[in-house]
Amino acid sequence: MKGLTREDFSMLPAWVGQNEHTVSFFEWLTQDELAPWNCKDIVLVKVKQRKDYFLYTGCEEGHTLKMETDLKFAGIFRWKDCGLYDLKESLRRLLEIPEEIEFPTKAGALKEAEAIVNQKALALIGRDWGTIFADARCEKELMIPKITRSEIRNQADKYYEAGKTAEEIFFRPEVPVARYFSDRCYLLFLDNKEWIAEKVARQWVLENAAYISRQRIWYGCIRDEFMEIKKAAERQKQGKQTD
């Protein structure tokens, strides 16, 4: 097929060698020129974003492509792995790529990012809390929760009745990663997941230092109360055994 050899196809993603359309499409993608590419009655446009391309489909009216109204996002091409990401169904049909060939999506990357960012945030809170506390410069009254002994006792009782351990009672951050996951952040995440996750986690922790402080104190009080309940139960059990 065209200028690509069998050896080339063996090193490229499976979608490239599906048919003449996909081969022509790939060759267009790997050209430096940003000229549009025609396939059947559709025009494809590639827009450079860092090292990658955002892909758009449109229709020509005569010899004019109405970019302001007709272009629709169709996917992303990444040079790093020659992969297609977030491929829209319209482009899949145009290129006649079989349904069984799957493509990564931003939604999938977001789900992965959420897991990594939450782990990073938890590590930051435990490892660098003193520095974060100083950098955030929150008012002290905002750092302390308004709680009562009965609230703490009730929650500690629930943990005890559920058979939890003291090690399981701690604040688990749930970072709203989608809020930070712009298209640019998405592409950067694909290139360096750990680094981007660390950046997002640190930004969220700094922005929410007061809330995190209140949660840490809340869980700390519950954990202390839980230990008291556990010790009292153990003493009572030992007393029954000696009777």
Side-chain angles (χ1 to χ4, degrees):
M1 293 181 180
K2 300 214 172 181
L4 296 173
T5 66
R6 288 181 178 273
E7 185 179 354
D8 292 330
F9 286 120
S10 68
M11 295 184 292
L12 291 170
W15 66 266
V16 177
Q18 290 299 306
N19 54 62
E20 292 291 342
H21 299 309
T22 54
V23 172
S24 297
F25 175 64
F26 179 75
E27 291 180 336
W28 169 70
L29 287 172
T30 54
Q31 293 171 359
D32 291 334
E33 294 82 5
L34 295 178
W37 180 69
N38 293 75
C39 182
K40 302 175 185 177
D41 296 326
I42 301 298
V43 178
L44 278 94
V45 175
K46 56 186 180 182
V47 178
K48 199 158 189 178
Q49 178 69 25
R50 299 178 65 247
K51 298 173 290 184
D52 308 315
Y53 289 129
F54 278 25
L55 308 173
Y56 298 86
T57 58
C59 297
E60 284 186 336
E61 189 174 291
H63 295 289
T64 303
L65 179 64
K66 296 188 293 181
M67 299 184 68
E68 297 83 1
T69 58
D70 288 350
L71 287 184
K72 295 181 179 179
F73 176 76
I76 298 171
F77 174 74
R78 295 189 68 235
W79 269 103
K80 187 174 183 179
D81 57 6
C82 292
L84 291 177
Y85 290 70
D86 298 279
L87 188 74
K88 296 300 182 182
E89 190 59 31
S90 58
L91 184 52
R92 181 192 286 273
R93 290 197 303 268
L94 178 68
L95 298 174
E96 299 176 13
I97 298 175
E99 290 292 333
E100 57 265 24
I101 296 181
E102 297 182 355
F103 296 93
T105 64
K106 184 177 181 179
L110 174 59
K111 188 174 181 180
E112 182 181 6
E114 286 172 341
I116 301 174
V117 170
N118 284 333
Q119 290 174 355
K120 296 284 186 184
L122 183 60
L124 281 170
I125 293 167
R127 184 186 67 232
D128 297 337
W129 181 244
T131 302
I132 290 166
F133 184 88
D135 291 344
R137 298 180 181 178
C138 295
E139 296 180 15
K140 289 185 178 180
E141 56 268 24
L142 297 177
M143 311 291 279
I144 301 171
K146 295 178 181 179
I147 51 179
T148 64
R149 177 68 185 276
S150 61
E151 289 174 327
I152 295 169
R153 179 77 184 194
N154 288 338
Q155 193 61 50
D157 278 331
K158 290 179 181 178
Y159 278 114
Y160 183 76
E161 291 169 4
K164 300 294 184 181
T165 65
E167 290 73 21
E168 295 176 280
I169 304 173
F170 62 92
F171 170 58
R172 293 174 176 82
E174 294 183 5
V175 183
V177 180
R179 186 186 302 168
Y180 305 90
F181 216 59
S182 64
D183 287 339
R184 182 174 182 275
C185 182
Y186 169 39
L187 293 178
L188 289 170
F189 177 76
L190 293 175
D191 284 335
N192 195 328
K193 296 178 180 180
E194 295 292 325
W195 182 72
I196 287 296
E198 182 84 20
K199 291 288 185 182
V200 172
R202 183 170 288 277
Q203 182 174 345
W204 180 81
V205 169
L206 282 170
E207 291 172 353
N208 295 274
Y211 163 74
I212 294 168
S213 174
R214 294 195 299 270
Q215 289 296 305
R216 280 166 55 87
I217 294 170
W218 164 251
Y219 278 94
C221 291
I222 293 171
R223 189 166 52 250
D224 291 343
E225 189 69 22
F226 172 88
M227 291 302 299
E228 291 300 319
I229 294 171
K230 185 178 179 181
K231 288 176 182 177
E234 289 173 350
R235 286 195 298 267
Q236 185 178 16
K237 183 178 178 180
Q238 289 173 357
K240 288 181 179 181
Q241 289 175 348
T242 57
D243 290 343

